Amino acid sequence: MDLTGKNLLGEAREYEETAAMKTEHCPRPSFHATPPTGWMNDPNGFSLYRGEYHLFFQYHPYDIHWGPMHWGHLKTEDFITWEMLPAALAPDKSYDYKGCFSGTALESDGKHILMYTGVYEEETEGGKKEIRQVQCIAIGDGINYEKSSANPVIDSSLEEGFSRIDFRDPKIWEKDGVYYSLAANRCEDGSGQLLLYKSEDLKRWEFCSALLKGSTEFGRMWECPDFFELEGKDIIIVSPQDMKAKGLEFHSGNGNMYFTGSFKLPEYTFQRESHGVLDYGLDFYAPQTLKAKDGRRILIGWMQTWDNYMTPDCFTWSGMMTIPRELTLRDGRIYQNPVRELENYRLKEVAYQNIRLQGMTQLEGIEGREIDLTLEFLNSNYDGFRLQFAAGGEEYTELYYEPAKGILTFDRKYSGIRRDVICERQISVKADGLKLRIILDKYSAEVFVNDGEKVMTSLFFTPLEAKDIRFLADGCVSMNIVKYDIAVNGESTYGA
Ligand code: FRU
């Protein structure tokens, strides 16, 4: 029994058990995480606990649109197949009845610790109701989680000028017996900043510093910070809202970016070095990472953003995660590649060596909506090259490369889309040695350029019968092509 006199978590668990079956008209992607039913946004609490990888997520089980936020729960052994677990949190307390917002997790003393944002309303002096965002802890065993009696462990009594309305998405970690938490906050000028706290017992938290400030250079309010070490550097990831476009580097709206640098204790400072964008596609937001058993740093993001809602009305679920990606660092830039575990699911290799393409070509064996396709360009003296995929009749989605301009365009205008959402993104990439690895999984294309130097992730909901792949060369393009089907066998992970 909770605040509402109902058992909200119990109800959600019961609902998702039966609703998860109903996917006849909306088959799930084969190897990307989706919600059992209803709406999914940000990844939450992506963590290793008792040797298994857990992924929680922002979840509204009852509708394919955002609503009162629960935490849904999935588990994976290899980042490719996902097992549904019962919902972990429901908005059932006085400090979180407006939503259990995003957060992170860690393992400590055999327990699974979740840190999340509780949202509630408070009456202000003028009698108006105003949102409050506070940081909370829940402790569990991998299935059931109990909210701490000390909640909210960080309330919204912040310094003058720090927003009490926009204060969320804590990233928790532990170092030398001390817990740290980094939460996103809005400054008086509307820009984002990250507030650092520390604690010895997870109950009492002390403010350390405003570790990093955006000062309107990178959007306004920042969301969903992540913090970790990669090859000797400290990395901070944020998802800034209200970005302004800058060349081909930043696009307007909800963005994503990272800073490399060094975190200093006990000064509680972060010395910035380089920064960059993680994903240049249309559908990527709020990523977070974990350290795998073998030491790899693995990132997963919400494969959607707030500005593009395209889920077909007949779907019983909405929202997907990206394929988890391995991160490496080269010259201050983060490189990302699909987890190597994907290779265990490759079937039916089709390869073409040094093939010369002119005009429109379809190649024997190269088609499909669940594939891993690599194109290695061997020359750069052509005028243009288009790869059309998920093609059938008049519908297709395409990648278009113009070597003279050095611009790669993703375009889903003709994917059969009926909503007025953004359809195009461009990145700059050199023609020499161009290499594209394209991962398709029914409704998504994740394009890894030049071994992970840049990534573009986007969705399209073209009917699944549209499976053709067309090569259109303006001039003569020579390339090596390798394609695999990705086949995930065995028990369906959602009971569908
Ligand atoms: C980011 C975000 C978070 C918030 C959550 C609410 O996508 O806006 O800042 O915690 O979604 O669902």
Side-chain angles (χ1 to χ4, degrees):
M1 193 80 113
D2 53 50
L3 156 98
T4 55
K6 294 191 204 152
N7 177 359
L8 288 185
L9 185 61
E11 279 178 19
R13 286 179 166 194
E14 215 170 284
Y15 183 78
E16 65 189 359
E17 271 295 310
T18 51
M21 309 289 177
K22 299 186 185 122
T23 56
E24 306 91 87
H25 305 297
C26 46
R28 298 170 184 287
S30 296
F31 50 97
H32 286 73
T34 51
T37 178
W39 165 271
M40 161 192 268
N41 61 284
D42 314 350
N44 292 158
F46 190 38
S47 56
L48 177 61
Y49 175 64
R50 292 199 177 145
E52 295 181 305
Y53 300 113
H54 289 257
L55 175 70
F56 303 84
F57 55 91
Q58 289 286 278
Y59 184 32
H60 183 214
Y62 308 109
D63 197 345
I64 56 167
H65 298 274
W66 191 86
M69 280 294 107
H70 296 57
W71 274 36
H73 193 181
L74 302 172
K75 193 166 88 167
T76 181
E77 273 174 22
D78 64 358
F79 305 110
I80 302 296
T81 57
W82 299 90
E83 183 187 337
M84 172 189 151
L85 292 177
L89 301 177
D92 53 13
K93 298 284 181 204
S94 56
Y95 52 79
D96 67 13
Y97 68 91
K98 286 259 159 197
C100 298
F101 275 19
S102 285
T104 51
L106 53 69
E107 175 165 2
S108 182
D109 291 335
K111 300 262 171 37
H112 204 191
I113 314 290
L114 314 183
M115 191 168 200
Y116 70 98
T117 297
V119 183
Y120 66 97
E121 267 180 348
E122 193 172 75
E123 205 161 285
T124 59
E125 278 174 15
K128 261 190 26 207
K129 289 209 165 142
E130 209 174 73
I131 289 287
R132 293 284 172 261
Q133 299 193 334
V134 292
Q135 315 319 319
C136 307
I137 293 281
I139 301 179
D141 60 2
I143 302 273
N144 296 308
Y145 294 82
E146 195 173 332
K147 294 178 182 172
S148 167
S149 58
N151 281 345
V153 292
I154 305 178
D155 67 20
S156 63
S157 44
L158 303 175
E159 266 181 37
E160 189 65 37
F162 291 8
S163 172
R164 306 175 71 187
I165 300 172
D166 287 307
F167 176 41
R168 57 181 176 269
D169 311 336
K171 162 69 188 183
I172 186 171
W173 74 95
E174 190 257 354
K175 192 175 165 61
D176 303 329
V178 180
Y179 299 102
Y180 295 91
S181 173
L182 196 59
N185 182 256
R186 184 165 47 81
C187 305
E188 225 158 7
D189 64 1
S191 67
Q193 62 175 347
L194 301 180
L195 305 184
L196 179 70
Y197 292 81
K198 67 171 182 175
S199 171
E200 288 190 358
D201 59 6
L202 295 170
K203 293 181 183 141
R204 280 158 301 170
W205 290 80
E206 187 187 321
F207 176 65
C208 304
S209 68
L211 189 69
L212 189 61
K213 281 175 180 281
S215 57
T216 63
E217 191 187 353
F218 303 113
R220 293 212 180 101
M221 171 65 186
W222 287 351
E223 299 189 305
C224 301
D226 195 19
F227 174 85
F228 55 92
E229 202 192 300
L230 187 64
E231 297 168 29
K233 290 283 175 213
D234 295 309
I235 311 288
I236 290 179
I237 290 178
V238 291
S239 293
Q241 296 180 317
D242 304 326
M243 295 283 280
K244 281 204 258 178
K246 193 170 180 192
L248 295 183
E249 201 53 19
F250 295 120
H251 56 79
S252 52
N254 299 296
N256 65 86
M257 64 179 302
Y258 62 86
F259 299 94
T260 73
S262 48
F263 175 55
K264 290 258 173 343
L265 286 175
E267 296 87 349
Y268 309 122
T269 55
F270 182 80
Q271 190 64 46
R272 261 173 62 178
E273 286 171 24
S274 60
H275 66 264
V277 168
L278 284 163
D279 197 300
Y280 295 82
L282 291 156
D283 297 289
F284 181 87
Y285 200 62
Q288 52 179 250
T289 65
L290 60 65
K291 189 171 176 186
K293 284 179 248 185
D294 57 8
R296 282 174 298 161
R297 181 56 59 178
I298 312 283
L299 175 140
I300 194 164
W302 179 34
M303 195 149 61
Q304 196 174 309
T305 76
W306 293 106
D307 295 325
N308 293 324
Y309 182 80
M310 305 193 303
T311 306
D313 298 337
C314 63
F315 272 40
T316 57
W317 56 272
S318 175
M320 297 168 240
M321 296 295 170
T322 63
I323 189 160
R325 305 169 180 176
E326 298 179 12
L327 304 188
T328 49
L329 196 61
R330 220 182 297 162
D331 302 326
R333 176 180 261 288
I334 292 184
Y335 279 65
Q336 303 164 81
N337 282 293
V339 281
R340 62 196 66 168
E341 284 84 346
L342 183 64
E343 290 158 32
N344 300 334
Y345 294 87
R346 283 172 166 177
L347 278 184
K348 292 198 214 152
E349 177 182 316
V350 179
Y352 291 87
Q353 285 292 313
N354 198 358
I355 185 167
R356 287 158 60 89
L357 301 168
Q358 266 174 307
M360 209 274 271
T361 318
Q362 274 179 259
L363 295 170
E364 178 76 34
I366 309 267
E367 57 161 31
R369 290 284 285 265
E370 284 147 36
I371 61 167
D372 182 350
L373 171 70
T374 300
L375 312 182
E376 250 181 295
F377 291 70
L378 302 174
N379 66 330
S380 54
N381 53 345
Y382 53 92
D383 291 328
F385 171 79
R386 287 172 202 272
L387 179 79
Q388 299 186 339
F389 49 90
E394 291 182 347
E395 294 177 352
Y396 61 86
T397 294
E398 77 174 4
L399 283 165
Y400 176 41
Y401 186 65
E402 294 165 280
K405 293 189 188 155
I407 288 183
L408 178 69
T409 305
F410 175 92
D411 187 354
R412 65 179 173 200
K413 211 187 291 90
Y414 300 109
S415 65
I417 206 161
R418 288 181 190 275
R419 299 187 204 266
D420 185 18
V421 299
I422 304 162
C423 285
E424 236 186 69
R425 277 283 189 261
Q426 295 192 315
I427 57 172
S428 70
V429 45
K430 285 208 191 80
D432 282 341
L434 177 62
K435 187 171 166 192
L436 304 178
R437 182 171 174 198
I438 300 138
I439 312 285
L440 302 185
D441 190 3
K442 290 194 180 78
Y443 319 105
S444 61
E446 291 163 280
V447 184
F448 295 85
V449 181
N450 294 344
D451 296 312
E453 182 191 330
K454 288 188 176 171
V455 190
M456 290 174 106
T457 295
S458 306
L459 297 178
F460 47 88
F461 288 91
T462 317
L464 295 176
E465 306 77 63
K467 285 183 187 286
D468 288 353
I469 295 187
R470 306 174 189 140
F471 299 82
L472 290 92
D474 189 357
C476 180
V477 183
S478 305
M479 59 170 68
N480 295 334
I481 303 173
V482 186
K483 187 223 90 173
Y484 301 90
D485 287 345
I486 299 293
V488 176
N489 298 314
E491 276 297 285
S492 163
T493 49
Y494 296 88

